[in-house]
Amino acid sequence: GAVVSQHPSRVICKSGTSVKIECRSLDFQATTMFWYRQFPKKSLMLMATSNEGSKATYEQGVEKDKFLINHASLTLSTLTVTSAHPEDSSFYICSARDSGNSAFFGQGTRLTVV
Amino acid sequence: AQSVTQPDIHITVSEGASLELRCNYSYGATPYLFWYVQSPGQGLQLLLKYFSGDTLVQGIKGFEAEFKRSQSSFNLRKPSVHWSDAAEYFCAVGLNQAGTALIFGKGTTLSVSS
């Protein structure tokens, strides 16, 4: 099956700094990628839909100025958590849709803000 | 609004015993239903999906799920559980056939005892 790679898998940053998370489709082109957030013992919550070459569509309640999404190429979408705070600590997962309309998930990124 | 309910937060079964994880959904149109498995600190792996047709769906790792429209359910089953099946299981309803833009249930943690 198709492979989606997220980097980094874990990151610890200081409060107030920004962190960039990359989501790459390794063997297919993805015009659409999705970013999810998972809280401990909670389900995944869709944050935004990332479309190549256009602005991301954010779900209600997600701050677009805080969670910047860039989908500059057909194989890469990035999520930047700006001015991170401890409450932003979470597990972030991306998924990418291939030309066959199947979605594949990355392995996730554990963000800890101290 | 679409929603997914997984009534069981945590289930423990003995190795070799059968398993059923419950999932109920609320969706106005034809549901696209999915089951994912997540190992600790990892991304999600698709077990199986239902779009239409045969209501009994076979998936990977010996899992199957049955769609029952009258009960708005899509329960996951496995006849004989292995210790390696211990993980978090998520039921999800997709807003489209691609399985993207998913709405997840809160998950069921499966523990396997020897």
Side-chain angles (χ1 to χ4, degrees), chain A residues 13-19 81-85 113:
Chain A
C13 71
K14 291 184 177 181
S15 185
T17 62
S18 295
V19 175
V81 184
T82 63
S83 186
H85 291 283
V113 184

Side-chain angles (χ1 to χ4, degrees), chain B residues 46-92:
Chain B
L46 178 65
L47 288 176
L48 48 78
K49 57 189 177 184
Y50 170 79
F51 295 155
S52 63
D54 193 347
T55 56
L56 185 62
V57 181
Q58 301 298 321
I60 63 171
K61 304 184 177 185
F63 286 93
E64 66 178 27
E66 186 171 12
F67 169 62
K68 293 185 177 180
R69 184 184 295 274
S70 61
Q71 299 178 17
S72 296
S73 69
F74 189 57
N75 294 347
L76 182 71
R77 300 193 294 248
K78 185 169 185 177
S80 178
V81 170
H82 188 262
W83 64 266
S84 60
D85 293 324
E88 191 82 16
Y89 290 81
F90 291 96
C91 180

Side-chain angles (χ1 to χ4, degrees), chain A residues 41, chain B residues 6-11 22 88-89 106-110:
Chain A
K41 303 299 183 183
Chain B
Q6 293 180 247
D8 305 305
I9 297 174
H10 192 176
I11 284 182
R22 295 184 292 167
E88 191 82 16
Y89 290 81
K106 291 190 175 182
T108 298
T109 301
L110 173 64

Side-chain angles (χ1 to χ4, degrees), chain A residues 34 36 38 43 101 103 105-107, chain B residues 38 43 90 98 100 102 104-105:
Chain A
F34 300 83
Y36 293 85
Q38 184 179 35
S43 183
N101 260 350
F105 283 82
Q107 66 269 49
Chain B
Q38 183 183 34
F90 291 96
T100 53
L102 294 162
F104 286 86

Side-chain angles (χ1 to χ4, degrees), chain A residues 10 32 34 36 38 41-46 49 91 93 95-97 101-108 110, chain B residues 36 38 41-46 49 88 90-91 95-107 109:
Chain A
R10 291 178 178 270
T32 306
F34 300 83
Y36 293 85
Q38 184 179 35
K41 303 299 183 183
K42 294 291 184 182
S43 183
L44 288 84
M45 180 192 74
L46 178 65
T49 301
F91 195 61
I93 304 178
S95 75
R97 184 175 69 188
N101 260 350
S102 293
F104 300 90
F105 283 82
Q107 66 269 49
R110 171 73 60 194
Chain B
Y36 285 88
Q38 183 183 34
Q42 299 296 313
L44 281 78
Q45 182 181 24
L46 178 65
K49 57 189 177 184
E88 191 82 16
F90 291 96
C91 180
L95 302 184
N96 52 51
Q97 194 172 1
T100 53
L102 294 162
I103 297 171
F104 286 86
K106 291 190 175 182
T109 301

